[in-house]
Amino acid sequence: DTDSQNTLEVYGPLFLRGTATTIGVAFVCVIVGTLLGVFVAMLRLSSNKFINTIAFFYIQVLRGTPALLQVFIFYFGLSSILTIPAIHVWDINLARLIPGCIALAINSSAYVAEIIRSGINAVDSGQMEAGYSLGLNRRITMKEIILPQATRNILPALGNEFVSMIKETSLLSVIAVSELMFVADTVKAATYRTMESLFIAAIIYFMITWLVSWLVSLLEKRLEKSAKV
Ligand code: ARG
């Protein structure tokens, strides 16, 4: 009927934009989170007790408190110490998007740091000894022997982190960043079509995470093949 046609015309584009925002925000957060996470993992693996204790607490605090709470803390915290002008980019208020992205990227960095640390630790310690016995120093052994093997553990796990972040971005709906969850909530309130709105969001989230998981499994197979000489 025409009524549902109009509904689709009006709300279809909203869902599409929300979807694009969700993917974009998750992507940016994983990239920034990975850069930060590599740095934190290096601190965590440092032989300096003080430095690795700081990294340890950084990781524990971020993983030990709800990501939702971190989003609120960064949003209200940042807006109380500095004024981010309410500039809109593609209709998204930067004063909300920036603190939200910072919170999620920092949250992700703790998980990424653990992914990298466990990826490196999963490489048999005999490999380090093998490097030493060839007369290589710690740095070279790490770079030439350990890291190439650790990469096979780390890359798929980073792909899965992207899947997690696709879902975690829904938290930004609480600070009114118009990603997919926020759009679903808005449409639900405007149309009273509660279950339809929520299920459309669910289906879109599922299609994205399904696709990315599938790509990760392809990557995993390729890495496995390249490991067998
Ligand atoms: N949603 C959970 C929380 O509130 C897990 C967050 C997972 N985050 C991540 N970057 N993998 O803490």
Side-chain angles (χ1 to χ4, degrees):
D1 60 312
T2 54
D3 182 38
S4 56
Q5 244 163 17
N6 289 340
T7 310
L8 188 68
E9 264 163 39
V10 174
Y11 298 108
L14 269 185
F15 274 104
L16 279 182
R17 295 221 336 220
T19 304
T21 304
T22 286
I23 295 172
V25 169
F27 193 73
V28 169
C29 288
V30 171
I31 298 292
V32 177
T34 299
L35 296 176
L36 256 175
V38 167
F39 179 67
V40 175
M42 279 164 54
L43 300 185
R44 182 76 183 92
L45 291 165
S46 152
S47 47
N48 181 315
K49 191 98 186 101
F50 179 69
I51 288 176
N52 82 48
T53 304
I54 289 179
F56 173 76
F57 278 108
Y58 175 91
I59 293 167
Q60 293 302 66
V61 168
L62 286 166
R63 295 197 312 163
T65 56
L68 176 62
L69 188 58
Q70 292 163 23
V71 167
F72 277 128
I73 288 176
F74 275 91
Y75 175 61
F76 289 109
L78 281 180
S79 50
S80 72
I81 55 174
L82 51 100
T83 322
I84 303 172
I87 298 169
H88 289 69
V89 176
W90 294 302
D91 246 14
I92 300 168
N93 188 341
L94 290 191
R96 297 169 181 282
L97 182 65
I98 291 172
C101 282
I102 291 175
L104 288 185
I106 287 178
N107 177 271
S108 186
S109 74
Y111 288 86
V112 170
E114 281 299 276
I115 286 170
I116 290 169
R117 191 178 70 95
S118 59
I120 288 172
N121 284 344
V123 176
D124 193 288
S125 60
Q127 298 288 312
M128 200 73 188
E129 288 154 19
Y132 288 154
S133 73
L134 290 171
L136 306 176
N137 62 27
R138 185 181 142 91
R139 220 181 70 84
I140 302 285
T141 308
M142 200 57 161
K143 185 162 161 276
E144 301 293 336
I145 297 177
I146 307 293
L147 285 182
Q149 299 182 70
T151 305
R152 284 196 275 277
N153 312 324
I154 293 171
L155 281 185
L158 284 180
N160 292 331
E161 175 64 12
F162 182 54
V163 173
S164 294
M165 290 311 287
I166 292 281
K167 296 179 289 172
E168 294 300 315
T169 54
S170 62
L171 295 174
L172 299 192
S173 63
V174 300
I175 56 169
V177 171
S178 49
E179 43 62 70
L180 183 52
M181 187 67 224
F182 186 78
V183 168
D185 215 42
T186 308
V187 174
K188 159 170 131 340
T191 62
Y192 294 111
R193 297 194 176 188
T194 305
M195 294 313 278
E196 286 106 314
S197 305
L198 295 178
F199 271 105
I200 288 171
I203 289 165
I204 296 173
Y205 276 116
F206 184 68
M207 289 194 316
I208 306 169
T209 57
W210 180 281
L211 176 71
V212 177
S213 302
W214 177 69
L215 291 174
V216 170
S217 73
L218 288 186
L219 173 72
E220 225 158 0
K221 276 194 201 108
R222 269 190 62 161
L223 290 172
E224 249 167 59
K225 242 205 287 184
S226 72
K228 289 185 197 121
V229 188

